[in-house]
Amino acid sequence: MTKFYFDGQGVDALPDETVLDALLRQGHPVNYSCKKGRCKTCLVQHLEGELTAGAQRGLNSRLKESHYLCSCQCRVTEGLKLKSLLAQDLFIPAKLYSKEYLSDSVVKLKIEAAEKIEHRAGQHINLRRFDGLTRSYSVTNGAYSEFIELHVRRKYNGQFSDWLFNHASTGENILIQGPWGDCCYSPDYIDDSLILIGNGTGLGAVYGIARDALMSGHRGEIFLYHGAKTFEQLYQHSTLLKMMMEYRNFTYQACIESDTEGEEHLSSRVILGNPFDVAMSRHPFDTRMPCDSQNRFYLCGEPGFVSIGQKTIFLNGTPLDRVHVLSFDYKDLRSRPRD
Ligand code: FES
């Protein structure tokens, strides 16, 4: 056993265990989400002792200088002393400005922060409610709006998403941290062909990235593929069809797993299939000169979908700096862990 200290209390860790796992195993109510160093919900502050490599990877210089680290990325070392995070250290006050139900399981939230936050679609933020419970959500709009917009799917057993969906009311006080991440549009990409693929509520981020691109006067083509189980889950279908009428360089394709109405909803804009496979069939790789390709990919959604897609695109010769990903590595709420 290796002993470390958290808020002055001794904690025994197993060999090679992370700080987060040791704290959770011993019943400390610490926040976490992805366990991969991405969401930053698990930050703690370093007081004394040796830090293992990677404990501060991905943190900005302000957080590093303030001695924060990701507890999920730091292995326990003997005598390490850490302290929990005070909300006022990193979070700023915000209010839930409005709620709009986009389907029977997805709600669009507008958050009004007390200070101006420079956010872009495709980044993520952390929300913290009155009891300290914190979760990470992807941002679906750029800083042209004074609000931060999120598309939240109510998850089965999801404590926070259920609260946002069913109970939180407009005017509700909340805390906000972030934004983080760089799965975003940049004016440097103005002539590229953007291929945006979102699965489930991964649509929120790719839809926001497409809007950011169009509002920045993007000159290249933009192709957006949305994957859902059924037609009813295509929760921005009519908005995206309208966008397609409005912008000549924007194309939208919906891909569903099955049609509950016996193919009644199928058309050229709604087809059966996996959005990634459909996108790859329409934008084949030029294996002779892959580096000359103007294609730039965005993948947003569940971790398996994102990591397989990213690997496939990379193995076909696309440099990784042309593949932008946003993976929803949320806390596993099931009794049996996902594969
Ligand atoms: S960064 Fe540690 S749980 Fe996500």
Side-chain angles (χ1 to χ4, degrees), residues 15-32:
D16 217 29
E17 200 169 27
T18 63
V19 167
L20 178 65
D21 284 340
L23 290 172
L24 291 173
R25 192 172 45 73
Q26 299 193 26
H28 288 266
V30 281
N31 279 303
Y32 72 98

Side-chain angles (χ1 to χ4, degrees), residues 89 98 100 140-141 153 178 202 206 211 245 259-260 270 299 303 325:
D89 290 346
S98 70
E100 179 190 343
T140 63
N141 69 327
R153 179 180 296 284
V206 290
R211 273 204 309 174
M245 305 288 282
D259 189 0
T260 45
V270 184
L299 297 167
V325 298

Side-chain angles (χ1 to χ4, degrees), residues 192-262:
D192 289 349
S193 289
L194 306 185
I195 299 158
L196 306 148
I197 313 169
N199 222 3
T201 40
L203 172 70
V206 290
Y207 163 66
I209 294 164
R211 273 204 309 174
D212 273 2
L214 292 166
M215 291 179 82
S216 307
H218 187 77
R219 292 195 294 248
E221 294 291 326
I222 303 174
F223 303 91
L224 189 153
Y225 297 87
H226 181 208
K229 284 199 165 62
T230 61
F231 180 80
E232 291 68 31
Q233 292 183 10
L234 298 173
Y235 65 87
Q236 291 284 78
H237 189 58
S238 48
T239 305
L240 288 161
L241 289 176
K242 268 190 225 141
M243 250 165 91
M244 203 165 132
M245 305 288 282
E246 204 175 328
Y247 296 95
R248 54 143 205 89
N249 60 340
F250 177 73
T251 306
Y252 158 63
Q253 179 66 63
C255 306
I256 56 175
E257 285 177 24
S258 63
D259 189 0
T260 45
E261 304 299 324

Side-chain angles (χ1 to χ4, degrees), residues 20 31-43 57 59 69-73 124 126 136 329:
L20 178 65
N31 279 303
Y32 72 98
S33 212
C34 70
K35 286 196 170 183
K36 289 181 182 163
R38 291 191 188 124
C39 70
K40 317 290 188 288
T41 49
C42 68
L43 294 188
R57 191 176 300 134
L59 300 189
L69 57 97
C70 290
S71 61
C72 71
Q73 297 300 301
H124 67 271
N126 293 331
S136 204
D329 297 302

Side-chain angles (χ1 to χ4, degrees), residues 309-320:
Q310 184 182 32
K311 199 165 152 192
T312 306
I313 295 168
F314 174 65
L315 290 177
N316 279 282
T318 306
L320 273 183

